[in-house]
Amino acid sequence: MAAAAASSSLSFAVSHRHHHSISSNSRLITLKSPSSKHLLLRNPSRRRHWISCSAAPPDAEAQPSRNRRPADENIREEAARRELATPANGFSAWYVPFGAPADDGSSGERYSLDEIVYRSRSGGLLDVRHDMDALKKFPGSYWRALFDSRVGRTTWPYGSGVWSKKEWVLPEIDADHIVSLFEGNSNLFWAERLGREHLGGMPDLWVKHCGISHTGSFKDLGMTVLVSQVNRLRRHPLNRPIAGVGCASTGDTSAALSAYCAAAGIPAIVFLPADRISLAQLVQPIANGATVLSLDTDFDGCMRLIREITAELPIYLANSLNSLRLEGQKTAAIEILQQFDWEVPDWVIVPGGNLGNIYAFYKGFEMCRELGLVDRVPRLVCAQAANANPLYLHYKAGWSDFKPVTAAPTFASAIQIGDPVSIDRAEFALRATDGIVEEATEEELMDAMSLADRTGMFACPHTGVALAALTKLRDRRVIKANDRTVVVSTAHGLKFTQSKIDYHSKEIADMACRYANPPVSVKANFGAVMDVLKKKLDVKLKA
């Protein structure tokens, strides 16, 4: 369909929804060729455009003014009826060995996404490769307008921040197989006070709060893709004998897997390191009905076991060794560009553990550059806890002779990984973007987290790692005051309340807890309360 549309006329009905008026104006724009420059629908006033494609690939979206669907029809059935997400549409994707040449055609090693395969023939990582030639038939302005038109909609499956980019994620999956909890579209908020008062006057500091998601972490972005593909494999006509989906986890992956499997009715099996994750993380897979195995080992030990188990039983592996998840996680990078009206930030700082996420951000930014949505990519920073810092050590050694480490306990428990699966991916992403790796001690990350909380955030310790890295790079003037900088917050602070309780109670050994704010015990009488408040607020009584 994409090739045929290259010579057809594409019509777009565009509505501008004004912030202060309930009325709307419409105009019709006709594009004679996908390469036409007349499809540029960006507006300097940054109004939101709602676009309906009457004859344009990759789909024919419904008019915003259409009548409500029949009362007995749900949004999934509506999507099927209107053929809003038909498979293929001229776009396709497949697995190739990570690092394979871009021109590695059908004669090279490649696998269908419908194959259950996690590594190349040589034992290396795989990567999902898209048919870029097919995607390039449409200019960057087309993709910008299409993606913008889907934000905030309930049209299945485009209300999801991941599936609103379906053509760039799993282009051939049928909408009926998609398992989505309307993930993504997370808040990008201006950290005004933190930047102004604590980071040397940064007026353009932002935090991408991926933890504002269904299960409280960015892992939802990847898990919707993986579980959707498993759902496709288990159903007619493929009917693959997959008994369940399994993962090793430091907490957030298991929560996301359990929720999406529960939504799809697919058994989930979770391997967790005993006594190394928060209770809030542990209760999530339990509540969602997963089979939870608490193992007397660390994450790396859990990972070794799950690989052995999935080699013997028909259990689909859900860890980031599986490159499908990265296709969902890369959409957070595209969202950042959307939220900046397709302007590219100077820096993006990402906490790193198993290291798939730093590559996913690179992949999202690079796809936007290659397909003409933007003209450059930001510099990436990967932030690691000093207690689990194999990438940092590898970077400081000039990228030579990577050596795994034994990860020590860290409050940033989700990145307590000493032998990351995606080390090669991370190195590639950082080299390609002239990136940097920085580390944070336990005291640095907890202080950074708590200081951010004092400015209105409720950050997780992993965000504290990224913020501590930012502080160091600002101190060294690597990141300039006026650089537009995005810190990626990977999880919600509510998952890590015990670490905050310990910090504010000053119960952490060998830590000063500089920003602790314990409750004040005071007698229940007027005078005692007044004395405390006068001291706290530094005020005098009125005469």
Side-chain angles (χ1 to χ4, degrees):
M1 182 175 178
S7 60
S8 67
S9 175
L10 309 182
S11 298
F12 294 83
V14 183
S15 290
H16 301 304
R17 292 190 177 180
H18 299 272
H19 293 294
H20 304 293
S21 174
I22 60 172
S23 64
S24 64
N25 299 315
S26 298
R27 58 180 177 175
L28 186 67
I29 297 177
T30 300
L31 174 64
K32 296 298 183 183
S33 165
S35 62
S36 169
K37 297 180 180 178
H38 293 96
L39 189 57
L40 184 60
L41 301 182
R42 295 176 70 201
N43 190 313
S45 67
R46 298 193 180 186
R47 295 170 180 165
R48 180 170 295 170
H49 302 291
W50 301 90
I51 293 125
S52 176
C53 311
S54 61
D59 51 41
E61 294 197 40
Q63 296 284 348
S65 59
R66 69 181 187 273
N67 293 328
R68 184 177 176 178
R69 66 181 181 276
D72 61 348
E73 180 182 65
N74 65 38
I75 57 174
R76 190 187 294 274
E77 293 165 340
E78 180 189 35
R81 176 172 59 82
R82 293 183 177 274
E83 298 181 340
L84 292 176
T86 54
N89 288 316
F91 306 120
S92 59
W94 54 90
Y95 295 121
V96 298
F98 175 75
D103 59 350
D104 190 27
S106 58
S107 60
E109 182 182 354
R110 61 187 287 177
Y111 306 92
S112 165
L113 297 187
D114 291 336
E115 293 186 58
I116 300 176
V117 56
Y118 309 117
R119 288 193 178 273
S120 67
R121 287 194 289 265
S122 66
L125 298 170
L126 295 174
D127 199 18
V128 174
R129 178 161 296 168
H130 290 261
D131 184 349
M132 299 299 284
D133 289 336
L135 294 172
K136 286 177 181 177
K137 292 181 186 295
F138 306 94
S141 53
Y142 170 81
W143 294 113
R144 286 194 302 261
L146 181 64
F147 294 161
D148 285 347
S149 75
R150 293 168 170 174
V151 174
R153 304 285 290 278
T154 56
T155 305
W156 185 265
Y158 301 128
S160 159
V162 173
W163 297 108
S164 63
K165 287 86 178 171
K166 178 180 180 292
E167 297 80 12
W168 292 21
V169 178
L170 285 186
E172 297 173 273
I173 194 169
D174 189 88
D176 192 46
H177 295 157
I178 290 174
V179 182
S180 174
L181 301 174
F182 283 72
E183 53 288 314
N185 296 320
S186 59
N187 186 20
L188 177 68
F189 67 87
W190 182 30
E192 179 185 13
R193 187 178 166 211
L194 182 64
R196 182 183 67 237
E197 297 182 13
H198 302 293
L199 287 163
M202 292 187 74
D204 219 356
L205 175 63
W206 302 78
V207 177
K208 177 64 171 169
H209 206 325
C210 295
I212 301 179
S213 191
H214 184 73
T215 71
S217 89
F218 78 95
K219 299 293 180 70
D220 292 353
L221 305 178
M223 209 56 74
T224 180
V225 177
L226 184 141
V227 175
S228 294
Q229 180 65 10
V230 171
N231 195 38
R232 166 184 165 90
L233 294 174
R234 283 166 52 98
R235 292 173 61 176
H236 181 79
L238 297 175
N239 298 318
R240 298 290 180 86
I242 299 173
V245 187
C247 75
S249 177
T250 52
D252 291 333
T253 299
S254 64
L257 174 66
S258 302
Y260 282 86
C261 281
I266 299 172
I269 302 96
V270 172
F271 288 18
L272 294 174
D275 303 321
R276 301 190 188 215
I277 68 170
S278 73
L279 289 176
Q281 290 172 300
L282 178 61
V283 77
Q284 288 180 280
I286 291 173
N288 286 137
T291 298
V292 179
L293 304 181
S294 180
L295 304 174
D296 185 19
T297 184
D298 59 8
F299 170 81
D300 298 314
C302 291
M303 191 69 219
R304 286 190 291 272
L305 277 170
I306 193 71
R307 289 183 194 174
E308 294 172 7
I309 295 298
T310 54
E312 297 295 327
L313 295 176
I315 297 172
Y316 193 87
L317 181 63
N319 283 94
S320 58
L321 178 66
N322 188 319
S323 53
L324 281 174
R325 278 175 47 194
L326 305 185
E327 294 304 291
Q329 289 166 212
K330 76 184 181 190
T331 62
I334 305 171
E335 273 187 20
I336 288 172
L337 296 175
Q338 279 186 285
Q339 289 165 315
F340 283 135
D341 196 30
W342 302 102
E343 296 175 356
V344 182
D346 298 301
W347 298 88
V348 176
I349 305 174
V350 185
N354 219 16
L355 302 181
N357 210 25
I358 190 75
Y359 176 69
F361 271 84
Y362 164 75
K363 193 171 186 181
F365 288 128
E366 176 59 19
M367 280 192 76
C368 287
R369 187 203 63 79
E370 186 174 351
L371 292 170
L373 285 73
V374 296
D375 60 2
R376 64 183 180 91
V377 299
R379 293 184 69 182
L380 297 180
V381 177
C382 188
Q384 290 209 292
N387 284 3
N389 63 349
L391 180 67
Y392 174 77
L393 297 176
H394 188 40
Y395 169 76
K396 298 298 283 187
W399 301 119
S400 62
D401 297 328
F402 171 74
K403 294 180 177 63
V405 302
T406 299
T410 171
F411 284 102
S413 57
I415 57 175
Q416 185 181 321
I417 298 170
D419 189 10
V421 167
S422 294
I423 181 65
D424 293 337
R425 291 170 174 152
E427 180 180 342
F428 180 88
L430 290 160
R431 283 177 176 266
T433 61
D434 190 23
I436 296 172
V437 186
E438 189 51 83
E439 67 172 358
T441 67
E442 293 302 288
E443 187 159 18
E444 287 170 342
L445 73 89
M446 291 297 286
D447 281 346
M449 175 193 75
S450 303
L451 180 60
D453 289 353
R454 288 291 192 101
T455 67
M457 294 172 57
F458 195 71
C460 66
H462 317 84
T463 307
V465 174
L467 290 169
L470 170 60
T471 300
K472 290 183 173 183
L473 294 173
R474 281 289 297 123
D475 288 344
R476 300 202 303 265
R477 300 296 187 264
V478 175
I479 295 179
K480 305 297 191 295
N482 291 328
D483 287 351
R484 175 174 283 181
T485 303
V486 178
V487 172
V488 176
S489 178
T490 52
H492 203 293
L494 287 172
K495 284 190 168 190
F496 302 93
T497 52
Q498 188 59 51
S499 66
K500 293 179 181 290
I501 292 169
D502 293 343
Y503 183 91
H504 290 288
S505 302
K506 294 190 173 184
E507 294 179 354
I508 303 174
D510 302 318
M511 190 177 293
C513 302
R514 294 165 58 201
Y515 303 107
N517 184 33
V520 179
S521 296
V522 59
K523 294 181 179 180
N525 65 69
F526 180 83
V529 172
M530 287 294 290
D531 289 342
V532 169
L533 293 182
K534 283 190 291 182
K535 184 180 297 184
K536 281 283 185 180
L537 300 177
D538 192 26
V539 296
K540 296 179 180 179
L541 290 175
K542 294 181 179 179

